[in-house]
Amino acid sequence: MFEVSGRSIRISRGDTGLIAFDAEGTALSEKDLAVFTVRRQSGGIAMEKVIAPEGNQLLVPFTNEETQALREGEYVWDIRVVLDAETDAEGRVTGGREVITPLPPSPLKIMKVVGRV
């Protein structure tokens, strides 16, 4: 199961999916990047993805390996857009001209599965 309801995300552990965000009100360019972050309730980063815009959309894919690596439980996510992004040698965003957080941090739940595949 991969379900998005409003800003809440629920994923069965090990499932794949794709979330699309429209960058309404901001014209994105090839110099811009977004950072999608998932944190544990305790505050540690569980997943971080750097996303290049496709037109004025940000597509965040989730692979089987990524969701399988997350423990069952409650997390929080956000996405931040960095205009004229600067990156380090490993591709992590280190700065930019402006940072925009289009949505407030929101819940993400990784759900237990009983079957083995």
Side-chain angles (χ1 to χ4, degrees), residues 10-26:
R10 293 186 338 151
I11 304 169
S12 294
R13 188 170 182 227
D15 280 7
T16 59
L18 177 71
I19 300 175
F21 296 95
D22 288 320
E24 296 178 21
T26 304

Side-chain angles (χ1 to χ4, degrees), residues 23-78:
E24 296 178 21
T26 304
L28 299 177
S29 77
E30 66 277 352
K31 297 178 187 176
D32 305 330
L33 293 171
V35 180
F36 180 87
T37 305
V38 175
R39 286 190 180 269
R40 293 177 186 89
Q41 293 289 359
S42 62
I45 293 177
M47 174 190 295
E48 189 168 82
K49 295 173 153 286
V50 175
I51 308 295
E54 294 187 25
N56 225 36
Q57 268 197 329
L58 300 166
L59 302 176
V60 182
F62 291 82
T63 66
N64 166 263
E65 293 81 13
E66 290 168 333
T67 63
Q68 185 66 36
L70 297 172
R71 293 186 192 127
E72 296 92 7
E74 304 287 333
Y75 295 81
V76 64
W77 69 270
D78 72 5

Side-chain angles (χ1 to χ4, degrees), residues 10-11 27 29 31 48 67 74 87-89 93 96-97 101 105-107 109-110 114:
R10 293 186 338 151
I11 304 169
S29 77
K31 297 178 187 176
E48 189 168 82
T67 63
E74 304 287 333
T87 59
D88 64 15
V93 176
R97 176 174 54 86
T101 306
S106 302
K109 183 174 184 177
I110 299 296
V114 295

Side-chain angles (χ1 to χ4, degrees), residues 4 9 15 22-23 27 38 48 51-52 75 83 89-90 98-99 103 107 116:
V4 179
I9 302 170
D15 280 7
D22 288 320
V38 175
E48 189 168 82
I51 308 295
Y75 295 81
L83 304 179
E90 295 174 4
E98 185 176 351
V99 178
L103 300 168
R116 293 188 309 167

